[in-house]
Amino acid sequence: MADIVDTSVFDQAIGELRRSSKVKLYQSDFDAWAWDILKLRNYAKMREIAHDSLFGAKERTLTKSGNGVGKSSIQAQMILWAGSVFEVGETVQIISAPSIPQLQKVTFAYLKSYHGRVNNELRPEHFRIPGRIDENLGWVSETPKGKIWLASGRKPPDQDAVSMFQGLRSQFGMTYVWFDEAGGMSRAMFTAAEAVQTGDDSRFGGIGNPDNAGAEWQQSFEDPIKMTEYNLHTISAFDTPVFTGERVYPRTTEGDAMELQLMKALTSKRWVAHKSRIWATGGVIAPDPENPDDRRYDRRVDDTVPFDKGNLDHMGKLTIKVNGVRSIVTNPMKWDARGLSKVMGQFPGDNDTSFFPQEIINTAHHSTFDEDFSIRPVLGCDIARFGADESVVFLNRGGRARMLDSWGKTDTVESARKIHRHAQAVNAKEVRIDSTGVGGGVYDMLKELEEFSNKVYDLIGVDGGNASPDKRRWANARAHNHDQLRSLMQAGMLDIEYDDRELADQLMNITFRFNSRGAIQITPKDEMRTVMDGSPDRLDSLIYAVVDTSALFALASGLQPGDIVLEDPWEIETNSWYAGAAYPM
């Protein structure tokens, strides 16, 4: 009598064999896992970084890059890989960044998206990503043996970094540590990462923009001894498929759609073209060969002439190929610090004219203050002057500054009413308005009109064109106000919204120079308008909301006993004895 075979048991056994075989493959082939499980493919440079991070002979990998190259996405993919291709609990992963919001809004946002996509949408046969991504920066798996932490997001204070990392270590020697925005991580954090990587199969991976010159991050790329300990990678915008022409996904209907989605996610040619025009000097601005009639694609390039072997001046000069023609560079284009960091993925030089370096912007992004509603807020208001600009109100409550509202150009009465409604609703302590131009009209209405007589706030007019409190240091009040903001940001005394990219762009675009006295002079708005495609409305309203205005009241009261008066002799020339009878002798 023939044996009766339970086909369900047989199918289950075959399925387990297939799963085991696949998992074995995935443990040594990240690309196969990413395509089979996530339905994602990465471009060549990213595949190289993933290989070194997960399988390279050196256990430590650092990657510096320009903006929008996909570095956070690949890191999230690698974290999911490490937590899903081995037995649950074999790997323990620590994920850190300069701030909790950075972890929440970037790394863990990707993790949640990919984890949910696999288990809820794609549902690959014979493979599930274990556990769940919770709201407390954790990747946790519930097992019959209890809760197992697969990954944990941590950002301890520097002095507690080693002790807070210490409790997270794989008993199988597979501790993975990941840093996002590694340029903002202190030496103490790098030390903490090293302290838990005690197993032979432990790994460390750090990604970030090369903004923070002089930090541990930069030393790891440039110190001759430290360099030998890392797999080091650099990605510029020009290494992405947008510029290389690399095809990443299969040439199918589905592949075409995914290729288009990838290209939209990466830094665009138009963005790079715009930055080359405003973040670089020298060279010439030339049309893009693929979009010759669209001025938005015009890009700054080296100025060259074809090489002439009969021209003695061309002998010994550096030559490059331009459209297949050997040429010499007569006027090279040169990126400033912003372009080097954000486009080329290189550490900036020391000759930058950016008034708010990326390192200082990062500090303000990573400073997180709880909102204390016992503190009456200060509102800063910048009123639109041109059609494309916007009126903006910023709210500052104890150093936590957020945009409260913005609107297109409208009449001064309606702007005054909007500001008054906001101020009354939040019980503002002060409302500060630019008191020149259109802002002056709004200021006057709030001050004089009967309908605003119930105001609960003090009204303050701010005029950036006023005299400087110290003309040896600041050219005018505007420069002084910008420097106050910069100092607050640098000292970690200001918390600005990480997601407000428009504010971040305006901060990065502010430049300065020193005047003939050696005082700071912020580049005039008219000169910056083309660069910024408008006025720095958000930045101005932020400045009004956070600067110290006590000097305005001191000036209104006149000089006080003990005040020291500083005056430039040339500025009191008309009142001097040699100017005639104007000076009362």
Side-chain angles (χ1 to χ4, degrees), residues 96-110:
S96 193
S99 71
I100 294 297
Q102 173 76 20
L103 287 171
Q104 291 171 329
K105 297 177 181 181
V106 182
T107 310
F108 273 82
Y110 272 114

Side-chain angles (χ1 to χ4, degrees), residues 356-390:
F356 296 97
Q358 185 66 47
E359 181 177 358
I360 289 178
I361 298 173
N362 289 346
T363 299
H365 281 158
H366 301 149
S367 299
T368 53
F369 304 156
D370 293 331
E371 192 164 14
D372 184 352
F373 288 96
S374 68
I375 299 174
R376 294 181 66 192
V378 173
L379 302 189
C381 313
D382 183 71
I383 309 302
R385 288 168 172 76
F386 299 93
D389 296 337
E390 60 179 359

Side-chain angles (χ1 to χ4, degrees), residues 303-318:
D303 194 5
T304 62
V305 296
F307 176 74
D308 180 3
K309 62 181 181 182
N311 188 334
L312 295 178
D313 290 338
H314 288 191
M315 296 298 108
K317 296 288 181 66
L318 176 67

Side-chain angles (χ1 to χ4, degrees), residues 285-332:
I285 295 178
D288 178 63
E290 296 179 7
N291 303 277
D293 299 323
D294 191 336
R295 299 281 72 83
R296 296 174 300 174
Y297 289 87
D298 288 357
R299 181 157 61 93
R300 192 182 298 274
V301 296
D302 292 331
D303 194 5
T304 62
V305 296
F307 176 74
D308 180 3
K309 62 181 181 182
N311 188 334
L312 295 178
D313 290 338
H314 288 191
M315 296 298 108
K317 296 288 181 66
L318 176 67
T319 63
I320 61 173
K321 283 288 185 70
V322 178
N323 297 324
V325 179
R326 187 183 180 193
S327 304
I328 64 166
V329 178
T330 58
N331 181 18

Side-chain angles (χ1 to χ4, degrees), residues 375-423:
I375 299 174
R376 294 181 66 192
V378 173
L379 302 189
C381 313
D382 183 71
I383 309 302
R385 288 168 172 76
F386 299 93
D389 296 337
E390 60 179 359
S391 295
V392 180
V393 177
F394 252 79
L395 183 148
N396 170 28
R397 195 189 299 271
R400 186 180 187 275
R402 297 291 187 271
M403 189 179 76
L404 183 63
D405 195 8
S406 67
W407 59 90
K409 188 175 182 183
T410 185
D411 63 74
T412 53
V413 175
E414 183 56 33
S415 290
R417 287 171 177 162
K418 281 179 176 284
I419 293 168
H420 182 72
R421 284 196 297 268
H422 282 305

Side-chain angles (χ1 to χ4, degrees), residues 11 13 43 69 103 219 230 237 247 355 371 410 453 465 481 516 558 570:
D11 290 344
Y43 61 92
V69 300
L103 287 171
Q219 293 173 18
Y230 291 93
R247 175 77 187 200
F355 192 70
E371 192 164 14
T410 185
S453 61
N481 292 340
S516 58
W570 294 103

Side-chain angles (χ1 to χ4, degrees), residues 72 75 79 93-104 106-108 111 137 151-158 161 164-165 168 176-186 188-190 192-193 204-208 366:
S72 295
Q75 187 173 74
I79 293 169
Q93 302 186 82
I94 304 171
I95 310 162
S96 193
S99 71
I100 294 297
Q102 173 76 20
L103 287 171
Q104 291 171 329
V106 182
T107 310
F108 273 82
L111 289 175
L137 301 180
S152 178
R154 298 284 179 96
K155 177 53 186 85
D158 287 348
M164 287 192 70
F165 276 19
L168 294 172
Y176 289 64
V177 181
W178 306 95
F179 283 177
D180 191 10
E181 294 302 341
M185 304 298 273
S186 66
M189 293 296 291
F190 275 87
F204 171 77
I207 61 172
H366 301 149

